[in-house]
Amino acid sequence: MTEEDVADPHKSELPDRLQVTAHASGSIHVLTPTGEIDHHTGDALRHALDAIATPRPRVVVDLHQVTFMDSSGINILIAAHRTLTDAGGRLRLARPTAPVLRTLQIVGIDTVIDCHTALPEALTD
C-alpha cells in the first residue's frame, strides 16, 4: 500500500467544486452548472453570472446537472435576476432536476424567474 492509498485522518474533506460551463446560443449566454449549489460552492455560479458584461444581457441557467441547491443558490439567482433586469436583460432557468425544482417551488422563485422544462423553450424570445 502506498501513502496515497492511506487517508489522512486530520485532513477535512472539501466539498465538491461546482463546475460551470458557459456557451452562447445566438445572443443568449447559457450557463450550465454541474454539482451542488450551496454556501461552499455557489461562488462559481456567482462569478460566471458576474462575468457576463454585454448590453441587455440574456442569460439561461441550465440546471439539469445540479443535484442540490440551498438558499445560497436561491440568493445567487435572485441577485442575478435583479442585476440582469436592471441592465435591460433577463434571466431564465431551464431543466431543473426534481430536487432543485422542488426548492424553487417551495420558495416561489419559479413565479419570479421564468423556469422552463426544456432548454429550447428557455432560449426562445
Side-chain angles (χ1 to χ4, degrees):
M1 185 182 308
T2 67
E3 283 186 35
E4 289 88 23
D5 295 329
V6 179
D8 182 351
H10 302 290
K11 184 178 175 183
S12 63
E13 279 193 0
L14 294 174
D16 289 339
R17 296 272 181 225
L18 178 70
Q19 301 293 318
V20 181
T21 58
H23 75 276
S25 178
S27 63
I28 301 172
H29 301 274
V30 180
L31 301 177
T32 305
T34 301
E36 296 184 355
I37 303 172
D38 60 27
H39 67 281
H40 294 291
T41 64
D43 280 343
L45 179 58
R46 183 182 346 273
H47 292 304
L49 286 161
D50 289 345
I52 298 169
T54 58
R56 298 178 47 117
R58 296 184 304 160
V59 179
V60 172
V61 178
D62 185 352
L63 297 168
H64 79 280
Q65 295 183 44
V66 175
T67 55
F68 172 81
M69 183 170 54
D70 70 4
S71 61
S72 301
I74 297 297
N75 289 332
I76 290 166
L77 294 175
I78 290 170
H81 172 69
R82 288 182 182 152
T83 300
L84 293 168
T85 301
D86 289 349
R90 69 164 192 245
L91 174 65
R92 289 185 177 168
L93 307 176
R95 304 191 296 174
T97 58
V100 171
L101 179 59
R102 180 74 177 130
T103 300
L104 296 171
Q105 291 172 333
I106 287 171
V107 297
I109 294 304
D110 62 322
T111 64
V112 176
I113 301 172
D114 288 339
C115 189
H116 301 270
T117 58
L119 185 57
E121 292 172 0
L123 296 172
T124 61
D125 283 327

